[in-house]
Amino acid sequence: MRPMRALVRAVASAGVCGAVAAASLGMPGTASARATPGAHRPAWHVTPTGSEARFRGLAAVGRETAWLAGGGGTVLRTTDGGRTWRDVAPAGAEGLEFRDIEAFDARRAVVLAIGEGDASRVYQTSDGGVTWTLGFRNDDPRAFYDCLTFFDSRHGLAVSDPVDGRFRIISTGDAGRSWRVLPSEGMPPALEGEAGFAASGQCLVSHGPRDVWLATGGASRSRVFHSGDRGLTWTVADTPLPSSPSQGVFAVAFRDSRHGVAVGGDYRPGQPSPAAAATTGDGGRTWRPARRPPAEYRSGAVWPVYSGPAALAVGPTGSDGSLDGGRTWTRFDTESFDTVDCAPDGGCWAAGEKGRAARLTITR
């Protein structure tokens, strides 16, 4: 097995675009896999966590370091590639439902708990989880926070489902130690029933110093909001993904300020999820349906670093790769994951139900 970045270097001279593209030379079921004995194949290497929590929050710091956040107030961290996981949860958090986590290194992280009223909270640590600071406790019973994202190690946003007809955004400028509610005037009105899905920590994502996107569903249309000024003003665009109380866009991912993918579908087990992926090339102003989307609901997506047009998507029924910017997808794994993230050094991780956490490896 070789890590993703090593494979990138190995195939760069042959013109293969990125590690996932290289790995996909041997995706099960593809012509290249049948024609190339011993071709490299992407695979998830499960790293036992010792937990039964469902992990929908994941932050990949590197090939060796990652953080997990899940049910029952669970926060785990590894610094040895998943060989061991340490419980670093905030004290007294057992009744909380952690759904998103952002980490900047092995010591600094911010974790979001979801829920109505004061169940929605944000904690911050700067000592690897030895101690945590409660940076935000929601005091509005109408608010329900879903996701958070950071532009850098100090500046970040979190989003609540609509309050008074508009999505509510809170902002931090001190690494999560304190938060303030942003003015709502720059946020377009929400549709009836519209909400974010707290399924993978990827309903709110950022790229670069100012751009941020919010994915929604649950209403008559699935939409993606975009802000170019750190959440002060927003525009919104319809997507081709179906929308209903159980359908919509569950995750978005951007590899730069223009090129993005959206994935989702119907989260109910056994329900069909046609047209469950879309792409944009203009920063989210317009979205096109994927020519060949994943065959089933997907809750998480990511652009691996150095991968060019290659992307990954995961869900409870498997994982898919795309080599063409999200226009066509091919399944390479059938195990259950809810979320996926890749680090600057090329290390990719996935996490999900029953304490599952895994690193992406390349096998023959």
Side-chain angles (χ1 to χ4, degrees):
M1 293 185 289
R2 293 189 288 169
M4 179 173 286
R5 191 174 184 183
L7 188 55
V8 175
R9 293 195 298 267
V11 300
S13 61
V16 180
C17 189
V20 174
S24 299
L25 289 173
M27 276 186 178
T30 64
S32 60
R34 294 190 296 270
T36 310
H40 293 96
R41 301 167 185 263
W44 292 112
H45 172 69
V46 175
T47 63
T49 63
S51 173
E52 288 296 311
R54 186 163 196 166
F55 294 116
R56 296 184 185 271
L58 166 65
V61 175
R63 292 192 299 273
E64 297 296 309
T65 301
W67 297 68
L68 302 173
T74 307
V75 179
L76 304 183
R77 185 196 62 170
T78 183
T79 56
D80 56 12
R83 289 186 293 277
T84 60
W85 291 88
R86 181 182 176 187
D87 181 355
V88 294
E94 295 80 6
L96 299 178
E97 186 72 20
F98 289 130
R99 291 291 182 93
D100 199 356
I101 188 166
E102 301 288 330
F104 315 111
D105 51 40
R107 297 181 61 80
R108 297 176 296 161
V110 180
V111 63
L112 170 74
I114 69 164
E116 296 179 350
D118 67 0
S120 284
R121 305 178 190 182
V122 181
Y123 292 84
Q124 177 270 346
T125 184
S126 56
D127 57 12
V130 176
T131 60
W132 293 83
T133 299
L134 178 60
F136 174 77
R137 184 198 298 261
N138 177 41
D139 60 3
D140 190 331
R142 302 169 298 169
F144 186 112
Y145 286 83
D146 300 301
C147 297
L148 73 143
T149 190
F150 273 76
F151 303 97
D152 53 43
S153 62
R154 294 185 58 82
H155 299 90
L157 303 176
V159 61
S160 163
D161 289 338
V163 175
D164 294 329
R166 299 175 191 269
F167 284 93
R168 175 172 289 181
I169 305 293
I170 59 173
S171 171
T172 182
D174 56 9
R177 295 179 180 85
S178 64
W179 298 78
R180 66 184 182 95
V181 177
L182 294 183
S184 62
E185 290 78 9
M187 175 67 71
L191 302 174
E192 181 68 27
E194 190 172 23
F197 289 106
S200 61
Q202 295 174 324
C203 67
L204 186 72
V205 302
S206 58
H207 190 284
R210 305 190 69 81
D211 286 299
V212 57
W213 295 265
L214 165 61
T216 76
S220 58
R221 306 189 302 276
S222 63
R223 306 198 292 176
V224 174
F225 294 69
H226 170 250
S227 172
D229 56 11
R230 292 187 178 177
L232 294 177
T233 60
W234 298 78
T235 57
V236 63
D238 291 350
T239 81
L241 277 68
S243 186
S244 75
S246 61
Q247 294 178 304
V249 180
F250 281 71
V252 287
F254 279 78
R255 64 184 170 98
D256 54 38
S257 63
R258 297 180 59 81
H259 298 90
V261 296
V263 300
D266 193 323
Y267 71 80
R268 295 175 299 173
Q271 296 299 309
S273 291
T279 65
T280 181
D282 57 14
R285 288 191 293 272
T286 60
W287 292 86
R288 295 182 177 181
R291 290 200 301 266
R292 190 179 72 218
E296 297 170 294
Y297 157 69
R298 295 292 178 257
S299 54
V302 70
W303 298 88
V305 181
Y306 314 118
S307 71
L312 294 172
V314 302
T317 61
S319 302
D320 301 87
S322 173
L323 310 183
D324 55 10
R327 290 185 290 275
T328 62
W329 295 85
T330 300
R331 184 178 303 194
F332 68 87
D333 187 89
T334 59
E335 298 297 326
S336 174
F337 294 105
D338 292 310
T339 187
V340 62
D341 193 25
C342 293
D345 68 359
C348 290
W349 296 78
E353 62 181 347
K354 298 180 180 178
R356 290 174 57 80
R359 292 182 298 110
L360 189 68
T361 59
I362 308 304
T363 65
R364 283 188 179 274

